[in-house]
Amino acid sequence: MLEPLGSNLWIADGGIVSFKGFDYPTRMAVVRLTDGGLWLWSPVERTAAIEAEIRALGPVRHIVSPNKLHYLFLGEWKAAFPGASLWATAATIAKCKELDFSRALTDEPPAEWKGQIDQFYFTNSPFMDELIFFHRASRTAIIADLSQTFSETFLKRHWPWWMRPIARLSKMVEGWGYPPIDYRISFRNRATARPKIRELIGKHPEHVVVAHGEVVRTGGEAFLRRAFSWLLQ
Ligand SMILES: [Fe+2]
């Protein structure tokens, strides 16, 4: 299930989750840090198979949630790896009171992965704060909801015909990579977000891992210019 995407970076697809009546595919990423410890991003539902593959890669040290909608499986992964630290944004920590987080993540990476994984924190939408990550060794941008790339195949299989035009018109599809329309419209104070996206693009990403949709395997930099054209223009 784990698929290598770049140097010390793997991805794994999980099941379908339902959100506001829409089916969403899920994906997690695994980074092996230079000390050999593993950093799990947005873990999908834990199965014996995926857990065994991850255990074979090294010790799980960090479990990271990028935003408050990506919390469903944090508890079960923390239960499997009690020595790992849980990390999330302030909104996720406020929402998941039963979980014991290390502390809230913002733009400054903690010492545990500083210099290996960069992070960009967006509080522009009143509905959600979100982190985008950049893994330097594999030149991979890792994005939960701020870029979505549903394939036509997925939409035909999982979304009713009358809802597919919503995805296409809002460009949350493969080749475009916009976020959902409500997230985009509610994105305020855009001048504060632009330098962060420009800095991310300036790191010349090759791959872009999204939680929902098709992985961008090459040309990540050009993809991101298009995916965030709604913000940068
Ligand atoms: Fe999501």
Side-chain angles (χ1 to χ4, degrees):
M1 288 181 66
L2 274 181
E3 178 196 345
L5 185 65
S7 175
N8 287 303
L9 177 94
W10 295 261
I11 53 176
D13 288 358
I16 307 290
V17 298
S18 181
F19 179 67
K20 292 183 183 170
F22 293 76
D23 276 354
Y24 273 68
T26 58
R27 177 173 298 115
M28 70 182 293
V30 180
V31 168
R32 186 160 55 202
L33 299 171
T34 52
D35 68 356
L38 301 183
W39 181 95
L40 308 189
W41 172 86
S42 190
V44 298
E45 185 172 13
R46 183 168 62 90
T47 63
I50 187 74
E51 183 186 334
E53 286 196 42
I54 286 174
R55 282 187 188 278
L57 289 180
V60 174
R61 300 245 169 83
H62 308 286
I63 301 168
V64 180
S65 163
N67 68 41
K68 70 176 183 182
L69 299 180
H70 288 234
Y71 69 93
L72 291 174
F73 309 115
L74 298 176
E76 61 186 50
W77 284 91
K78 172 70 173 168
F81 298 98
S85 300
L86 270 182
W87 305 85
T89 69
T92 311
I93 293 172
K95 180 179 186 177
C96 302
K97 297 197 190 310
E98 74 286 3
L99 296 175
D100 186 19
F101 290 94
S102 289
R103 64 173 187 273
L105 295 173
T106 57
D107 285 302
E108 178 65 17
E112 285 85 344
W113 61 79
K114 187 177 172 68
Q116 300 181 60
I117 301 171
D118 303 301
Q119 56 198 56
F120 303 90
Y121 184 47
F122 299 91
T123 57
N124 304 75
S125 170
F127 306 113
M128 187 148 78
D129 56 348
E130 177 163 347
L131 289 153
I132 291 179
F133 294 95
F134 177 77
H135 178 229
R136 293 186 185 180
S138 62
R139 282 174 47 214
T140 304
I142 306 173
I143 307 178
D145 290 344
L146 271 168
S147 177
Q148 305 190 8
T149 56
F150 286 82
S151 70
E152 197 60 31
T153 305
F154 181 90
L155 291 174
K156 283 191 172 136
R157 193 171 296 160
H158 293 278
W159 282 29
W161 65 269
W162 54 273
M163 287 173 86
R164 291 175 210 148
I166 296 171
R168 295 184 195 116
L169 286 169
S170 61
K171 297 181 177 174
M172 51 188 288
V173 291
E174 191 175 11
W176 275 103
Y178 278 26
I181 187 77
D182 51 344
Y183 199 179
R184 181 153 47 101
I185 286 174
S186 67
F187 210 82
R188 306 179 303 194
N189 304 318
R190 294 183 174 192
T192 66
R194 287 185 191 114
K196 299 183 188 187
I197 294 297
R198 289 197 183 107
E199 186 183 341
L200 171 68
I201 290 171
K203 292 175 181 292
H204 311 297
E206 177 67 5
H207 321 288
V208 182
V209 173
V210 297
H212 311 298
E214 301 304 300
V215 174
V216 177
R217 292 168 191 280
T218 59
E221 184 178 343
F223 168 82
L224 288 176
R225 284 187 202 286
R226 196 174 199 199
F228 286 96
S229 55
W230 60 274
L231 174 67
L232 295 174
Q233 66 198 359

